[in-house]
């Protein structure tokens, strides 16, 4: 959520920043509504204070008159409780409307984030070289024929958009997850295994609700009056775990990471670049997260990008890193870099990590602060990054490390965990 003081102090600059993401007319409507509601709120607060002051003064005057009277007591003052109650009821409605309007606004993009969608994304750097194999068999075919992924039985269990890892495919998937975990522990992150079913307050804190409420799976639980949903990313859980908390400045930056499956309501694409495990309703991901002071955030952001990139380098996978335009980044984030792995069969790149800096946007929604050595508490900054989503790493390995004889070389860092140095077609 944005700081209302920012809108009050420089509405024009706020409008210009939001226009990188939203239509100018939509921005003007939203800011006008917010300013009008803010004026109404402050007016009502003042009127309530005035009425309460009048009540106190009238009570004092009555008490003084009663003490001074030797004859018939003075008439008591008019009871204005109903007036104050009506004003307070109106104030509650205005504050609820203001909160709703503020909650719907996206974050302000950073100064170096440009307007536009995917077409305006900018490639910052590349690592490695594209494989030179002339004829690459697509990862879906390799996964089926080598007994790595059972798409038919996955669909039998969950429907379209689900799959089941089998044999060496399951071992490779688990090896990737465990290697990622080891790398993040070595980098100073604390390992978490959070619940998969979360309360809706966590979705609001992360900025996914209310706008993207329909993108997740909601759970009907007749034994609870508190709605729940399946987490779409463990970012939601890590952030939500610290709602309403205050960190000591000396404990920042606080680094944490989690492994969870991710559950999302999105249709598997019909295009060839979204076949197989590239897009589905459930996939595995390791997520890194940092809570920082505003001053620590830039360095934390750079280190998280490098953490994600180092994993791809360790796997020997060619990738590129791009700065996203405002319209292609999450609405909650002020800046996002995507790390995209090369997919030889389709001749394009696929995002395997989005590292994002939210500023204090999420912290305001989640009421997470830090206490400086001196002075009042302040909202901290939050940063998150996929490191990594395995459902796209496995296809990249099957294609980038494919050999002329059809075998697939396992990255050296995974061989002990997988139990082989290459994958071959089963003789049967």
């Amino acid at each position: 959520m944005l700081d209302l003081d920012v809108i009050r102090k420089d509405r024009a600059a706020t409008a210009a920043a939001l226009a990188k993401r939203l239509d100018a007319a939509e921005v003007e409507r939203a800011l006008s509504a917010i300013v009008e509601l803010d004026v109404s709120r402050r007016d009502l607060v003042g009127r309530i204070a005035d009425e309460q002051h009048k009540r106190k003064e009238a009570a004092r005057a009555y008490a003084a008159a009663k003490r001074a009277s030797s004859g018939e007591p003075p008439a008591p003052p008019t009871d204005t409780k109903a007036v104050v109650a009506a004003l307070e009821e109106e104030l509650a409605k205005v504050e609820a409307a203001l909160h709703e309007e503020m909650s719907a606004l996206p974050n302000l993009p950073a100064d170096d984030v440009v307007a536009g969608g995917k077409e305006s994304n900018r490639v910052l750097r590349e690592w490695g070289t594209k494989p030179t194999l002339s004829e690459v068999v697509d990862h879906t075919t390799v996964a089926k024929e080598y007994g790595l992924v059972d798409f038919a039985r996955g669909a039998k269990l969950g429907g379209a958009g689900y799959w089941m890892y089998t044999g060496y495919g399951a071992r490779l998937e688990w090896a990737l997850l465990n290697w990622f975990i080891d790398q993040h522990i070595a980098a100073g992150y604390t390992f978490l295994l959070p619940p998969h079913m979360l309360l809706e307050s966590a979705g609001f804190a992360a900025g996914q609700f209310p706008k993207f409420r329909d993108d997740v799976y909601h759970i009907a639980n007749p034994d609870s009056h508190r709605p729940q949903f399946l987490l779409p990313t463990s970012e939601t859980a890590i952030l939500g775990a610290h709602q309403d908390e205050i960190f000591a400045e000396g404990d920042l930056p606080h680094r944490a990471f989690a492994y969870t499956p991710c559950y999302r309501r999105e249709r598997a694409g019909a295009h060839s670049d979204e076949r197989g495990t590239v897009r589905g309703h459930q996939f595995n991901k390791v997520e890194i997260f940092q809570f920082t002071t505003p001053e620590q955030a830039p360095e934390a952001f750079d280190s998280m990008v490098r953490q994600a990139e180092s994993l791809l380098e360790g796997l020997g996978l060619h990738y590129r890193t791009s700065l996203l335009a405002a319209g292609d980044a999450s609405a909650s984030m002020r800046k996002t870099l995507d790390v995209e792995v090369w997919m030889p069969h389709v001749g394009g790149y696929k995002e395997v990590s989005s590292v994002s800096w939210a500023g204090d946007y999420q912290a305001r929604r989640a009421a997470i602060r830090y206490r400086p050595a001196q002075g009042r508490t302040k909202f901290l900054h939050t940063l998150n990054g996929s490191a990594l989503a395995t459902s796209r790493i496995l296809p990249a390995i099957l294609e980038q490390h494919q050999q002329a004889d059809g075998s697939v070389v396992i990255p050296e860092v995974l061989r002990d965990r997988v139990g082989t140095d290459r994958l071959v077609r089963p003789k049967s």
Side-chain angles (χ1 to χ4, degrees), residues 2 45 92 96 114 131 219 258 261 269 301 309-311 330 357 369 372 401:
L2 298 182
V45 168
V114 300
I219 300 164
F301 183 66
E309 292 174 333
S310 70
L311 298 179
S330 168
W357 176 6
R369 300 171 181 264
H401 291 331

Side-chain angles (χ1 to χ4, degrees), residues 368-425:
I368 306 175
R369 300 171 181 264
Y370 73 97
R371 191 181 304 282
Q374 295 181 339
R376 301 171 60 185
T377 60
K378 301 178 181 179
F379 288 108
L380 47 68
H381 281 207
T382 58
L383 306 96
N384 70 279
S386 310
L388 296 163
T390 54
S391 59
R392 294 183 177 181
I393 297 297
L394 189 143
I397 289 174
L398 296 184
E399 293 190 6
Q400 284 204 38
H401 291 331
Q402 195 173 128
Q403 306 299 299
D405 63 0
S407 65
V408 176
V409 173
I410 298 295
E412 187 173 353
V413 295
L414 303 179
R415 290 174 188 173
D416 287 347
R417 302 175 194 268
V418 178
T420 183
D421 63 352
R422 68 178 56 220
L423 302 172
V424 297
R425 187 191 305 273

Side-chain angles (χ1 to χ4, degrees), residues 112-341:
D112 60 343
V113 174
V114 300
K118 289 181 182 294
E119 74 285 349
S120 299
N121 293 347
R122 179 164 58 93
V123 176
L124 302 180
R125 54 185 172 268
E126 295 186 3
W127 183 89
T129 57
K130 297 176 182 178
T132 57
L133 195 63
S134 58
E135 293 292 334
V136 177
V137 180
D138 71 278
H139 66 273
T140 306
T141 300
V142 174
K144 288 179 181 178
E145 294 184 355
Y146 286 36
L148 307 175
V149 182
D150 193 329
F151 294 101
R153 289 191 174 94
K156 182 191 293 185
L157 287 170
Y162 294 89
W163 56 83
M164 182 168 66
Y165 295 105
T166 62
Y168 276 116
R171 294 174 72 172
L172 179 55
E173 175 78 0
W174 212 243
L176 284 164
L177 293 169
N178 278 283
W179 184 66
F180 295 163
I181 288 168
D182 288 348
Q183 299 307 301
H184 299 324
I185 291 174
Y189 288 80
T190 300
F191 186 21
L192 306 176
L193 286 174
H196 298 179
M197 296 191 296
L198 307 180
L199 297 174
E200 294 206 351
S201 57
F204 175 82
Q208 291 149 357
F209 296 170
K211 187 171 184 179
F212 302 105
R213 193 176 186 280
D214 293 338
D215 292 347
V216 304
Y217 289 102
H218 296 273
I219 300 164
N221 185 353
D223 298 325
S224 175
H225 66 282
R226 306 180 74 184
Q228 294 173 299
F229 65 100
L230 287 171
L231 55 73
T233 167
S234 49
E235 168 203 342
T236 315
I238 300 172
L239 175 75
H242 292 282
Q243 291 175 84
D244 304 310
E245 293 185 12
I246 299 175
F247 286 84
E249 185 174 13
D251 293 334
L252 300 177
H254 176 68
R255 304 178 183 91
F257 79 98
Y259 155 71
T260 65
C262 301
Y263 308 92
R264 300 185 183 179
R265 293 182 60 186
E266 54 185 359
R267 296 178 62 87
H271 301 291
S272 60
D273 65 341
E274 294 192 342
R275 294 176 62 232
T277 65
V278 170
R279 186 178 295 277
H281 301 297
Q282 177 185 325
F283 58 92
N284 291 317
K285 182 157 67 77
V286 178
E287 184 85 4
I288 56 177
F289 202 100
Q290 289 202 40
F291 300 87
T292 74
T293 66
E295 295 75 23
Q296 294 166 339
E299 182 179 351
F301 183 66
D302 291 342
S303 73
M304 292 173 72
V305 175
R306 278 302 304 146
Q307 184 72 3
E309 292 174 333
S310 70
L311 298 179
L312 291 175
E313 292 169 15
L315 297 171
L317 295 173
H318 167 60
Y319 70 86
R320 71 182 186 187
T321 302
S322 300
L323 173 62
L324 298 194
D328 196 31
S330 168
S332 301
M333 301 302 158
R334 68 189 305 270
K335 185 174 183 177
T336 297
L337 292 188
D338 268 8
V339 183
E340 305 163 315
V341 73

